[in-house]
Amino acid sequence: MPAMKHELPVENRVIELISTLQGAGFEAYIVGGAIRDLLLGRRPKDYDISTAATPEEVRNVFGRRSARIIGKRFRLVHVRHGGELFEVSTFRRAPSPESAAVGPDGRKHEELPEHMILSDNSFGTAEEDAWRRDFTVNALFYDPVRSELIDHTGQGIDDIRSGVVRAIGNPRLRFEEDPVRMLRALKLVGQYDFSFDAATENALFAMLPLIRHAAPSRLSLELEKILSSSYGDKHLLAFHDYGLLEYFLPEIDTAWGSPVCEYALNLFNERNCRVAEGIYRNSISLAMATLALPFVEQQCGSAVGTLWKNSPDARAAIAGVLDRLFRPQTMMNRMTLSAERVLQLQALFGEPKSRPEQLMESRSYAHSRELLLIRTAVQEGDVAELERLWPPVGARRRGGRNDGRNAEGEEGGGRRPRRRRHRSRRGKEPES
Ligand code: ATP
Ligand code: MG
């Protein structure tokens, strides 16, 4: 497939990284979600780089201080450049059935579906790499030094333009090889309002139960990515519509449609809008607390007001809700503990005897204040009044400088103009 000239607004440090690899004699491209987002007129959340250099060669080019080889099933290099972390992977080809069937532990797993890929470390050419990717919209390559776009499957640009999720190759086989691809497909549907091509959709319905065989660590990582994106509510909706949620987050699936769950999704949507609009930073623990709040209120009933007393019962109730809600996924302890603290502080905001100064000194004040504002916005309360009453972290209560940061440099988010609701679900039409 010939390369076509195409100008995309790529950040300078990414161009530098690619040209460093090219200067060392290795073919290198931006691949994956960044190209998809740029063609849709959206700002990429990060850049994935693919190159002919092996992981060791990448490490040699950037040096051990900036480059670290990670992963077993899929080895790649984390390269730090310009203060940002990039994932640099070596071109892969589809692994042979023999090499794919042996896990990183060196064992064959007879109990798993026949075609499941347990190890994906067979290196190949750029074109082979494109064909082993999951969906046509994810298989575009871009060389930002030459401003060239390459659509090896010949279908990616058209599918982005018409909003279609199409598996590359035989969709049933691709989902059996790696059931996480079904979750990835539904994220695309939710996030961009894309629809499925018929064969991919049929395969998804047929193969959905295989998601049980996906490695738990990969699913937990997906949950982290969902909670740290600004599209999480849209992902969950697509998962529910297609029946994936009962495997992925069964507690939320069971509660789906109930007033408590509706409220949780409204809060989560509000949080996502505020992240997308730059009002508050993206935090996984805050996302967890936001989704969990209505379930905590339901569980504690009128006792919710006593949570701030930090009683063991209250703490156990909150921990129990968080555990149930996100099971069977395992969230990092640090995030769960932070979400617990954010939830515990909520009751303090409404407590007439609570001392604002004391509350503001808490490490979780910024997140907890943000959750208060989210709640208030969803309930159509007076957000501006609360913003005044509870200043952002770093602001003194009277006449202090407000730079929106606390001592740890944690952003609290300052006053911002009233935001627009109902973002358009689709980005701009792609340029051709
Ligand atoms: P995001 O914007 O969420 O990062 P992404 O598509 O870039 O979306 P990544 O997980 O960063 O998702 O993966 C980068 C690229 O690697 C994908 O676009 C796709 O081409 C390829 N890829 C990722 N996971 C798989 C998979 N399970 N099977 C095949 N290809 C995959
Ligand atoms: Mg990506």
Side-chain angles (χ1 to χ4, degrees), residues 14 35 69 77 123 127 151 159 175 177 202-203 235 241 262 267 283 289-290 299 316 417 421:
V14 186
I35 303 305
I69 300 177
V77 191
F123 299 143
E127 174 150 16
D151 187 357
D159 282 343
F175 290 151
E177 284 174 354
N202 290 338
H235 295 152
D241 286 353
E262 289 282 300
L267 292 174
S283 144
T290 305
Q299 159 104 16
R421 261 303 68 86

Side-chain angles (χ1 to χ4, degrees), residues 77-293:
V77 191
H78 271 172
V79 177
R80 192 164 282 288
H81 178 71
E84 221 180 295
L85 202 63
F86 295 91
E87 290 198 341
V88 181
S89 60
T90 307
F91 298 145
R92 302 299 205 263
R93 60 183 156 76
S96 67
E98 299 76 47
S99 71
V102 179
D105 55 3
R107 282 203 309 124
K108 281 203 165 216
H109 290 256
E110 309 291 350
E111 74 284 9
L112 293 175
E114 185 188 347
H115 297 108
M116 199 153 155
I117 297 179
L118 302 180
S119 166
D120 191 357
N121 287 313
S122 311
F123 299 143
T125 64
E127 174 150 16
E128 285 169 329
D129 187 81
W131 284 101
R132 64 97 213 155
R133 286 178 183 271
D134 45 9
F135 306 105
T136 55
V137 294
N138 283 348
L140 292 161
F141 283 44
Y142 186 65
D143 178 342
V145 179
R146 298 183 180 80
S147 299
E148 283 177 356
L149 185 64
I150 312 170
D151 187 357
H152 285 292
T153 70
Q155 188 90 51
I157 295 176
D158 284 350
D159 282 343
I160 288 193
R161 208 174 278 148
S162 41
V164 171
V165 179
R166 185 190 311 273
I168 297 175
N170 176 337
R172 280 184 175 236
L173 181 62
R174 300 310 308 279
F175 290 151
E176 189 184 336
E177 284 174 354
D178 180 3
V180 177
R181 288 178 186 148
M182 294 188 276
L183 181 146
R184 294 175 52 81
L186 288 170
K187 279 171 73 181
L188 291 171
V189 166
Q191 178 161 336
Y192 300 101
D193 210 10
F194 280 1
S195 43
F196 280 116
D197 98 289
T200 306
E201 186 169 54
N202 290 338
L204 185 124
F205 282 129
M207 310 304 269
L208 207 54
L210 286 190
I211 197 78
R212 289 201 194 92
H213 297 292
S217 59
R218 290 185 66 208
L219 291 177
S220 298
L221 199 66
E222 285 298 338
L223 179 58
E224 272 174 31
K225 289 211 271 180
I226 288 164
L227 293 173
S228 69
S229 84
S230 54
Y231 300 101
D233 52 316
K234 298 185 171 58
H235 295 152
L236 294 188
L237 181 61
F239 293 176
H240 176 262
D241 286 353
Y242 280 84
L244 179 88
L245 200 61
E246 70 175 90
Y247 302 100
F248 188 58
L249 293 172
E251 183 85 8
I252 297 185
D253 190 60
T254 306
W256 200 270
S258 69
V260 171
C261 192
E262 289 282 300
Y263 181 33
L265 291 172
N266 282 340
L267 292 174
F268 194 33
N269 170 266
E270 178 69 22
R271 174 267 184 190
N272 291 333
C273 291
R274 289 171 68 93
V275 169
E277 289 160 23
I279 296 174
Y280 194 76
R281 78 190 165 95
N282 165 351
S283 144
I284 294 178
S285 59
L286 175 60
M288 290 170 72
T290 305
L291 261 173
L293 179 81

Side-chain angles (χ1 to χ4, degrees), residues 35-51:
I35 303 305
R36 191 184 66 217
D37 283 336
L38 286 168
L39 287 170
L40 286 167
R42 301 191 185 198
R43 212 180 136 200
K45 92 177 151 40
D46 51 31
Y47 286 86
D48 303 297
I49 314 285
S50 199
T51 176

Side-chain angles (χ1 to χ4, degrees), residues 66-84:
S66 311
R68 204 159 63 90
I69 300 177
I70 61 152
K72 285 187 187 139
R73 178 190 172 277
F74 192 99
R75 290 177 77 227
L76 54 83
V77 191
H78 271 172
V79 177
R80 192 164 282 288
H81 178 71
E84 221 180 295

